[in-house]
Amino acid sequence: MKVSEFSQRFALSRRDLFLAGGAGAVLALSGARLASAAPAAAYSAADFFGGQRTRAVVLSPSGARIAVLEQLGTQEEPRGVLDILDAADPEGERRRIELGKLTVEALEWANDRRLLVRVAIKQTVPGRKRSGSNLVGPSLTVTSRRILSLDHETGDSVVLFEGERQRMRYSFDLGRVIDILPDDPDHVLMIAWEMGGVMGLHRMNINNGKAERLERGNTATIGWQTHNGVAVLRRDINTRGTMETIHARAPGETEWRFVRRNRIVDAPDFAWVGGGSAPDTVLVSARAEGEDVETIREMNLHSLAFGAPMQARAGRDVLYGLMDARNRYIGAAYYGDRLEYDFAEEGLAAHHRAMNRFFEDDCDVHLSQISDDRNRFIAYVEGPREAGSWYLYDKTARSMTNLGSRYALDFERLGGCELLSVQTRDGATIEAYLTAPPGAAPGPLVVMPHGGPEARDQRGYDRQVQVLAAQGWWVLQPNFRGSGGYGLAFAQQGWRRWGERMQEDVEDAVAQVLRDKGLDAGRVAIMGTSYGGYAALMGAVRRPDLYKAAISICGVSDLPDMLDWEKRDDETPTKEIYGFWKKRIGDPDADGPMLEAASPRRRVAEIVCPVLLVHGVNDEIVPIVQSRIMNRALRAAGKAVEQVEVPDAGHADWEDEVEKDLMERYVALLRRVFV
């Protein structure tokens, strides 16, 4: 099948690189800056929501070619294209393959000739008419995903699972490849829901689209991890999507054995990295009993025992493990001043430092692919003023080539960010990120505590932050005690200190910034999502003298009620989810007065600033009732409050168009209070 036939079937700079001509421009690794023209006008909020252009850049297994996936056209008339480049001449002519009227999402090389393109197709499913009635249910818009296997030399293509319509007819997502199988160039492994509502693992022929089922999970199974093409870990999930159960099976065994339960949304401490040094070992990142930091280590599939940490940093949890295309371990990623790697291979560190210097040590340089001869690297680069771009680093040529960018945003019109060391009132030290508006003129300050709370902010591109900075506002993101990423001991310092120490750390960061940057203490607001939404509401309670507005997005407002909901909805045999939160928030039986005092809903009389509450109607992480009861309490107390409920959305997972409208609403409120 030709690409055009597939399309018809599914109709239902760095500043140097920008000034040198954008994608395809090559510069020596100097990082030199060129003089810029007069400052351009500030971006509007809507400017940050243009569609993503480049979706993926991938290096072929041999390292000889590069494929670039781009989304052109409009949302109403999408156009997907695929460009093929000679890796030895990245500035040379690109050979373009038109994919047609499709929304493209992801790209991988299956082998040196075939590419796998994931596409999304939006379809309207009509409502059903009841028997003997004129009532017709509402139509629904659903997104289905498929994988197109494309021979880039001939243009021939096949849709994977195309011949499995009967067995897969109820599955909207047939677009998940989990293993490329480098030693079997004609097949990949994929997972997909089958009839009966269970997940299947399939060995897929990329030449004809035919599938062979290898595994069939139970009703809770959401996927597998494989080593040398063999399923060795199985992941089951609870109905809320917050806790996964891991099972393991060594090659040659028939029974799956329980390994552990793992949080997905909050404070996960176990993750797959890749295959180990032997068929019966795998690499995982995990925090073993009694250890402070999460590290990468081998796990034996027979004994389920962990090996010693392979690379560890005091006070820093590992982010992920870096593997090459042949599943060989390259190193561990950590977040220090920016993204850093501890490499297992000698010599790679110097090249990563060279890439960082090219971006003036201002960005996170993720190594997404490395050629087998370690000469060519595809780097995904992101930073406060870099919304995401792909580069080819050629070690021999000592050059960086910009291959594509997610968004058409000029980094000179974005806000710069600095890492702060904040001294707290009790003598501790925390980190915070402060983003200045373009030009860094004094102005209002917006405080944005992160969610989790055992997550953390990093010094990367943050669309919410940049929208606010474009208005001339400063944005502060403190990693208060209780945050994740700094080891278990740091996170534990926030346990049972909601509404108290964690809020104090935020307040101390605000005070230091106001003092050191000379900002207006009379124009400060606070906003956040999830735990950050709670912190915004509690900030309005504790500091009515400081905050002029509070924006809570999917936030918690009543701790005893939230704990009761967690207890009632906990499906685990030993109430592990409820135990997780009781340990971190507090025990309702022992800590009742403390939990009530730390609940904004019970202290609305102390709030004086306007409050905006935003929540997804289908939120399974923080139920929407948390915003509804806060809204009722504020209104009963005669306070200024507005509530926005987002239909068909969960925990802040709304579409770009919805997010754009909400950001414009946030900006409008903040403009009013900052006057």
Side-chain angles (χ1 to χ4, degrees):
M1 181 178 65
K2 298 291 186 182
V3 174
S4 58
E5 297 171 359
F6 175 83
S7 172
Q8 293 169 4
R9 178 174 299 177
F10 291 104
L12 309 161
S13 176
R14 230 40 207 162
R15 54 176 66 86
D16 296 311
L17 297 188
F18 279 112
L19 296 175
V26 175
L27 292 176
L29 295 180
S30 64
R33 301 188 178 193
L34 303 184
S36 58
Y43 284 124
S44 69
D47 290 332
F48 292 91
F49 292 88
Q52 294 184 29
R53 174 163 176 144
T54 306
R55 298 298 175 92
V57 176
V58 289
L59 187 67
S60 67
S62 67
R65 297 180 183 84
I66 299 169
V68 180
L69 184 67
E70 301 213 330
Q71 186 68 62
L72 306 180
T74 64
Q75 188 173 359
E76 294 75 23
E77 292 289 331
R79 174 181 160 224
V81 300
L82 183 61
D83 288 343
I84 306 297
L85 293 72
D86 181 352
D89 183 21
E91 289 185 285
E93 183 178 356
R94 295 187 174 201
R95 179 166 56 87
R96 173 155 292 184
I97 301 173
E98 293 282 350
L99 300 177
K101 294 182 179 180
L102 296 169
T103 298
V104 294
E105 293 186 337
L107 180 70
E108 289 185 90
W109 287 93
N111 55 48
D112 264 351
R113 286 193 57 152
R114 281 201 171 265
L115 284 149
L116 305 178
V117 186
R118 190 177 78 212
V119 301
I121 307 113
K122 284 194 174 182
Q123 298 170 294
T124 300
V125 179
R128 293 189 175 183
K129 186 174 180 180
R130 291 183 183 177
S131 177
S133 170
N134 292 325
L135 295 177
V136 178
S139 60
L140 299 173
T141 299
V142 297
T143 300
S144 58
R145 288 175 169 83
R146 298 291 186 269
I147 295 288
L148 171 68
S149 173
L150 167 70
D151 185 320
H152 76 89
E153 294 184 4
T154 66
D156 289 335
S157 63
V158 62
V159 181
L160 303 189
F161 283 114
E162 179 69 0
E164 305 287 339
R165 293 185 180 180
Q166 181 65 30
R167 183 156 56 94
M168 316 301 294
R169 67 165 55 186
Y170 298 109
S171 182
F172 289 106
D173 189 355
L174 296 176
R176 289 193 273 175
V177 177
I178 66 166
D179 197 337
I180 291 297
L181 303 178
D183 294 325
D184 182 359
D186 294 324
H187 296 88
V188 297
L189 298 184
M190 296 182 66
I191 58 174
W193 297 104
E194 300 187 7
M195 290 180 64
V198 296
M199 183 69 75
L201 172 65
H202 305 269
R203 184 172 178 264
M204 179 66 62
N205 188 306
I206 61 172
N207 302 307
N208 59 26
K210 293 183 178 180
E212 172 194 1
R213 185 201 292 146
L214 303 178
E215 300 276 347
R216 199 167 190 263
N218 58 45
T219 55
T221 300
I222 59 169
W224 293 263
Q225 264 87 36
T226 60
H227 181 21
N228 294 330
V230 177
V232 291
L233 292 186
R234 192 188 80 214
R235 300 169 54 227
D236 298 346
I237 196 170
N238 66 338
T239 55
R240 283 178 55 200
T242 56
M243 179 80 75
E244 66 177 358
T245 302
I246 309 294
H247 292 84
R249 187 181 66 191
E253 295 180 346
T254 58
E255 298 298 323
W256 291 98
R257 290 179 295 150
F258 173 80
V259 177
R260 63 195 293 163
R261 288 191 178 86
N262 184 49
R263 297 288 304 177
I264 295 176
V265 178
D266 308 286
D269 60 1
F270 181 90
W272 168 263
V273 174
S277 58
D280 59 353
T281 64
V282 295
L283 291 177
V284 298
S285 66
R287 192 190 328 271
E289 188 71 28
E291 293 182 346
D292 182 51
V293 295
E294 184 174 341
T295 56
I296 293 176
R297 58 227 302 159
E298 281 199 325
M299 186 179 82
N300 186 285
L301 293 170
H302 296 290
S303 66
L304 305 183
F306 290 139
M310 296 175 65
Q311 290 156 313
R313 285 194 184 188
R316 301 285 172 173
D317 292 318
V318 68
L319 293 176
Y320 58 85
L322 184 63
M323 309 291 287
D324 71 6
R326 302 199 68 81
N327 202 38
R328 292 173 297 195
Y329 178 69
I330 295 175
Y334 294 90
Y335 211 86
D337 291 346
R338 58 188 173 278
L339 178 73
E340 301 165 0
Y341 291 104
D342 286 347
F343 289 101
E345 295 186 17
E346 187 177 352
L348 292 180
H351 294 285
H352 192 246
R353 287 195 298 270
M355 294 182 227
N356 273 290
R357 284 196 301 271
F358 178 75
F359 297 101
E360 300 169 333
D361 293 327
D362 192 46
C363 293
D364 293 336
V365 180
H366 296 263
L367 300 182
S368 61
Q369 287 183 293
I370 303 176
S371 63
D372 284 345
D373 62 4
R374 303 302 190 253
N375 183 58
R376 292 179 182 139
F377 302 74
I378 299 293
Y380 178 72
V381 181
E382 187 181 70
R385 296 186 294 164
E386 170 56 75
S389 294
W390 287 264
Y391 288 80
L392 170 68
Y393 170 61
D394 191 302
K395 185 170 63 175
T396 301
R398 292 188 57 78
S399 64
M400 290 285 281
T401 308
N402 179 217
L403 301 172
S405 298
R406 292 175 64 202
Y407 297 104
L409 294 172
D410 182 348
F411 69 95
E412 291 191 323
R413 297 167 66 185
L414 300 178
C417 177
E418 65 177 303
L419 171 63
L420 304 179
S421 178
V422 175
Q423 304 304 307
T424 67
R425 65 191 68 182
D426 59 352
T429 302
I430 64 169
E431 292 182 338
Y433 297 101
L434 180 65
T435 300
L445 175 67
V446 182
V447 188
M448 286 185 60
H450 60 69
E454 286 180 44
R456 60 158 294 175
D457 278 316
Q458 298 174 355
R459 192 181 167 279
Y461 176 76
D462 187 309
R463 182 165 60 184
Q464 281 189 334
V465 169
Q466 291 298 335
V467 169
L468 299 176
Q471 315 309 310
W473 306 333
W474 296 67
V475 184
L476 176 65
Q477 298 170 281
N479 283 330
F480 43 83
R481 282 171 288 181
S483 300
Y486 296 93
L488 183 60
F490 188 85
Q492 287 175 330
Q493 293 180 61
W495 291 9
R496 300 174 66 173
R497 308 299 288 267
W498 289 39
E500 184 238 45
R501 172 180 283 168
M502 296 162 81
Q503 297 291 142
E504 291 172 354
D505 283 358
V506 174
E507 294 165 6
D508 292 344
V510 173
Q512 182 171 312
V513 167
L514 293 176
R515 181 191 69 232
D516 293 350
K517 300 299 182 181
L519 304 184
D520 186 352
R523 294 195 293 171
V524 182
I526 185 167
M527 67 178 284
T529 301
S530 194
Y531 172 83
Y534 164 83
L537 296 175
M538 200 62 203
V541 169
R542 286 174 51 97
R543 295 298 305 272
D545 60 314
L546 178 63
Y547 297 121
K548 305 309 176 188
I551 301 172
S552 172
I553 305 164
C554 300
V556 176
S557 69
D558 191 294
L559 299 185
D561 283 4
M562 186 69 198
L563 285 165
D564 183 61
W565 184 77
E566 291 284 2
K567 185 177 183 179
R568 286 185 284 106
D569 265 43
D570 191 349
E571 308 160 353
T572 58
T574 57
K575 295 291 182 182
E576 291 178 56
I577 297 176
Y578 176 59
F580 174 92
W581 287 115
K582 189 168 69 170
K583 184 185 297 183
R584 284 158 174 79
I585 299 176
D587 185 339
D589 295 328
D591 304 316
M594 177 270 285
L595 293 172
E596 292 178 5
S599 295
R601 201 263 294 194
R602 302 179 189 227
R603 297 178 62 179
V604 293
E606 299 166 67
I607 296 176
V608 298
C609 69
V611 174
L612 175 59
L613 304 167
V614 178
H615 221 116
V617 172
N618 303 324
D619 194 337
E620 292 283 351
I621 309 301
V622 177
I624 192 173
V625 68
Q626 286 287 313
S627 284
R628 288 173 176 170
I629 59 177
M630 186 70 187
N631 180 49
R632 289 197 294 268
L634 285 165
R635 290 187 179 279
K639 307 296 182 176
V641 61
E642 182 180 4
Q643 183 179 11
V644 178
E645 297 190 356
V646 185
D648 300 322
H651 197 59
D653 60 353
W654 25 82
E655 300 286 342
D656 266 9
E657 192 61 33
V658 174
E659 174 71 8
K660 178 177 73 69
D661 292 343
L662 289 172
M663 281 303 305
E664 290 173 340
R665 190 185 291 259
Y666 308 153
V667 168
L669 170 61
L670 296 174
R671 279 180 179 157
R672 290 198 301 271
V673 301
F674 285 156
V675 171

